[in-house]
Amino acid sequence: MRCVFDKCYDAVNCANGELSFGFYYSEKQNPDSSIHIHDCCEVLLCMHGGKNFLINDRVYDVEDGDVFIMNQFEAHKITFDEGKRFLRYVMQVHPQFLYEMSTVQTNLAYCFYARGKNILNKLHLKSDERERLIATIMSLKKEQPFGDDIIKTNAAKEILVMLNSAFIRQAQMERAEVHNDAINKAMDYINANYRDNISLEKIAENSYISVNQLCRLFNRYCGTTVARYITSKRITEAKKALLSGRS
């Protein structure tokens, strides 16, 4: 049962095709350059070289060792420092696997879907937790002669238990996003009005900055343009509507 790959594409296909999970590790500066979403949930452990991470309407600073968790509806894009190796471990897990592996007492999907003002996509793992996470992922590369699927499924469950425990532990902590009032105001306005034909001028006016400042700050903190963010927001919301049966 192969579940560790060299490319994100293969990990996603494994998770979706088997309704289970897939992992990959990379040191290359080749993340998806566009704002994107997957059909599965994602866990990204950034070990080195990350800069900013845009997830839906929040922009997070990325520090070495940070973990980010996203569900299939949360559009995201990570930026990295030029000239540095971009080291990260990624887990893709299908929502159905989360629900099938959960129990009445333990909801493994909780950290992916519990959202709110003071609830973050960014996790700070303890050093021993981070080391255990990496060791578990690397151990999954080895094929076992017997019970390989059970061993790897149990390892994935252990990872999810650890992530949920860390998520619950820090749920009441202060927000760790980039504190830029103009960007926050711009995102709030876009998220409230994305269905309308909104202009750069209107967004800038509501953010109390010029259009040039808006574009410069958006590119700096989000690594993308305002227009692309609006398009991504519309696509994400349309996907939510389709999956929930709304027209």
Side-chain angles (χ1 to χ4, degrees), residues 31-242:
D32 195 325
S33 60
S34 62
I35 302 175
H36 59 282
I37 52 179
H38 303 291
D39 291 327
C40 47
C41 298
E42 179 175 334
V43 178
L44 186 148
L45 167 58
C46 182
M47 294 303 297
H48 182 70
K51 188 176 181 181
N52 296 118
F53 207 157
L54 166 66
I55 304 177
N56 262 8
D57 57 350
R58 293 182 178 179
V59 185
Y60 299 92
D61 285 325
V62 180
E63 300 175 2
D64 292 352
D66 282 342
V67 173
F68 296 89
I69 49 177
M70 296 144 280
N71 62 49
Q72 72 271 37
F73 303 117
E74 293 178 311
H76 53 279
K77 169 185 168 62
I78 192 166
T79 60
F80 51 87
D81 284 325
E82 297 289 345
K84 292 184 179 180
R85 290 188 304 163
F86 181 33
L87 280 62
R88 71 265 192 204
Y89 294 86
V90 178
M91 177 184 190
Q92 305 285 350
V93 56
H94 196 277
Q96 185 168 326
F97 178 83
L98 296 172
Y99 295 123
E100 289 182 352
M101 296 298 110
S102 294
T103 67
V104 175
Q105 292 82 19
T106 306
N107 178 12
L108 295 178
Y110 182 74
C111 66
F112 295 101
Y113 296 101
R115 295 293 180 262
K117 182 178 180 181
N118 294 316
I119 298 179
L120 309 178
N121 298 89
K122 178 178 178 177
L123 294 182
H124 297 287
L125 295 184
K126 298 176 181 177
S127 59
D128 62 312
E129 291 174 329
R130 187 164 56 248
E131 291 171 3
R132 191 163 77 250
L133 173 59
I134 294 172
T136 302
I137 294 174
M138 299 309 292
S139 72
L140 293 173
K141 288 185 174 182
K142 184 178 180 180
E143 298 292 328
Q144 302 295 331
F146 181 77
D148 187 66
D149 55 342
I150 295 176
I151 292 170
K152 290 178 178 177
T153 296
N154 286 338
K157 289 164 65 176
E158 288 179 10
I159 289 173
L160 293 168
V161 168
M162 181 178 66
L163 293 173
N164 274 279
S165 297
F167 180 83
I168 293 169
R169 186 175 65 226
Q170 73 167 41
Q172 301 303 317
M173 291 177 63
E174 182 180 1
R175 293 174 71 177
E177 63 193 281
V178 171
H179 293 288
N180 185 286
D181 290 339
I183 288 296
N184 291 337
K185 286 185 173 67
M187 287 185 167
D188 287 344
Y189 182 81
I190 292 170
N191 293 335
N193 298 279
Y194 69 89
R195 296 182 182 85
D196 303 326
N197 185 22
I198 53 180
S199 65
L200 286 174
E201 289 76 15
K202 194 65 176 178
I203 299 170
E205 178 184 338
N206 279 270
S207 305
Y208 304 106
I209 55 176
S210 69
V211 170
N212 286 338
Q213 286 176 306
L214 172 67
C215 294
R216 187 170 63 252
L217 288 172
F218 226 88
N219 186 64
R220 174 185 175 187
Y221 286 109
C222 304
T224 190
T225 65
V226 178
R228 286 177 180 170
Y229 178 78
I230 294 172
T231 299
S232 173
K233 179 67 177 177
R234 288 169 174 164
I235 291 172
T236 301
E237 293 300 324
K239 182 178 180 180
K240 286 183 184 179
L242 286 171

